């Protein structure tokens, strides 16, 4: 921080002065530790029904549980295709949740999973049984991809999948003159939300230079 704003040093050694900063550094996804997930991430394995449900064209959909968030995915996804929740010893629904899943027509599989297909998100159980899927949903954790927010003293909030930067309605952080937008500043985001959020933060930063 500088008396009239901020000085930003980049890896090449150059330094830039700014009266306002907008943090739009995004987050990094941390996938559950299960072989095969990384190769199919974003291709056949997803995390957001609203982003990718339509791509599956009514095909068989799986939810691989790694946390209790799996119940939310499993309850939403039947509107995009027949859905199976794979517990894989990671999550056990209670009686009320099982009743909710039954009402939504979700199949629950408790048998441990041996492998996920290399080209398709097919599930192979320990018994050798195979279920072919159009797509598989998981619950990754997310973390800020840059330490800048912490270095600047921005407050963070705990979201369902990881921390994000706390902002007000004008997308400004608790640090005067520092704004944040996109996935770094929402509990759960996507591309469309991030684009709109960036426009809001940019307008707010500009107006703060004029009217504050």
């Amino acid at each position: 921080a500088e008396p009239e704003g901020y000085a930003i040093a980049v890896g090449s050694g150059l330094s830039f002065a700014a009266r306002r900063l907008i943090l739009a550094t995004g987050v990094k996804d941390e996938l559950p530790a299960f072989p095969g997930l990384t190769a199919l991430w974003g291709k056949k394995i997803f995390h957001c029904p609203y982003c990718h449900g339509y791509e599956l064209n009514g095909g068989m959909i799986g939810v691989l549980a790694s946390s209790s968030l799996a119940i939310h995915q499993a309850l939403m996804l039947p509107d995009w295709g027949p859905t199976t929740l794979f517990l894989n010893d990671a999550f056990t629904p209670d009686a009320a949740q099982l009743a909710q899943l039954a009402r939504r027509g979700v199949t629950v599989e408790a048998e441990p999973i041996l492998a996920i297909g290399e080209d398709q998100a097919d599930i192979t159980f320990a018994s050798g049984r195979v279920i072919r899927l159009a797509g598989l949903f998981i619950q990754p954790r997310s973390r800020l991809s840059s330490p800048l927010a912490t270095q600047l003293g921005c407050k963070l909030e705990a979201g369902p999948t990881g921390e994000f930067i706390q902002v007000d309605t004008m997308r400004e952080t608790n640090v005067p003159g520092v704004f944040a937008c996109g996935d770094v500043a929402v509990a759960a985001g996507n591309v469309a939300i991030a684009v709109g959020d960036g426009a809001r933060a940019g307008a707010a930063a500009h107006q703060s230079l004029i009217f504050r």
Side-chain angles (χ1 to χ4, degrees):
E2 298 290 320
E4 296 298 324
Y6 299 89
I8 304 104
V10 297
S12 64
L14 294 175
S15 182
F16 301 87
R19 293 168 61 193
R20 298 290 187 269
L21 290 178
I22 299 176
L23 302 178
T25 53
V27 297
K28 291 186 177 180
D29 295 314
E30 296 180 338
L31 306 187
F34 196 92
L37 293 184
T38 301
L40 294 177
W41 178 236
K43 301 173 184 175
K44 293 292 183 179
I45 297 178
F46 314 105
H47 78 291
C48 175
Y50 297 114
C51 300
H52 300 286
Y54 75 96
E55 298 177 7
L56 305 181
N57 295 318
M60 295 291 294
I61 298 172
V63 176
L64 176 60
S66 61
S67 75
S68 59
L69 292 176
I71 190 73
H72 297 283
Q73 292 176 327
L75 290 172
M76 288 190 290
L77 281 162
D79 290 331
W80 285 276
T83 301
T84 299
L85 172 59
F86 301 96
L87 302 179
N88 201 39
D89 296 327
F91 167 64
T92 302
D94 60 27
Q97 290 170 330
L98 286 171
Q100 286 181 304
L101 292 166
R103 286 194 296 269
R104 292 287 284 157
V106 177
T107 301
V108 178
E109 289 278 3
E111 185 178 349
I113 294 173
L114 179 64
I116 296 174
E118 295 181 3
D119 300 315
Q120 298 291 325
D122 297 337
I123 298 294
T124 301
F125 293 103
S127 65
R129 182 165 58 100
V130 176
I131 293 182
R132 301 191 65 82
L133 299 171
L136 180 68
F137 287 78
I138 60 174
Q139 309 88 58
R141 298 286 299 171
S142 64
R143 61 181 175 85
L144 303 183
S145 59
S146 167
L148 287 175
T150 302
Q151 292 171 359
L152 288 164
C154 298
K155 289 183 179 179
L156 305 181
E157 289 190 54
T161 63
E163 291 185 322
F164 61 98
I165 302 172
Q166 183 183 94
V167 294
D168 62 17
T169 56
M170 298 302 289
R171 318 314 290 164
E172 189 169 17
T173 71
N174 63 294
V175 180
V178 178
F179 298 76
C181 63
D183 289 356
V184 77
V186 293
N190 61 33
V191 172
I193 291 173
V195 171
D197 209 36
R200 291 173 61 194
H206 175 248
Q207 291 182 41
S208 75
L209 290 167
I210 301 168
F211 300 113
R212 189 180 313 189

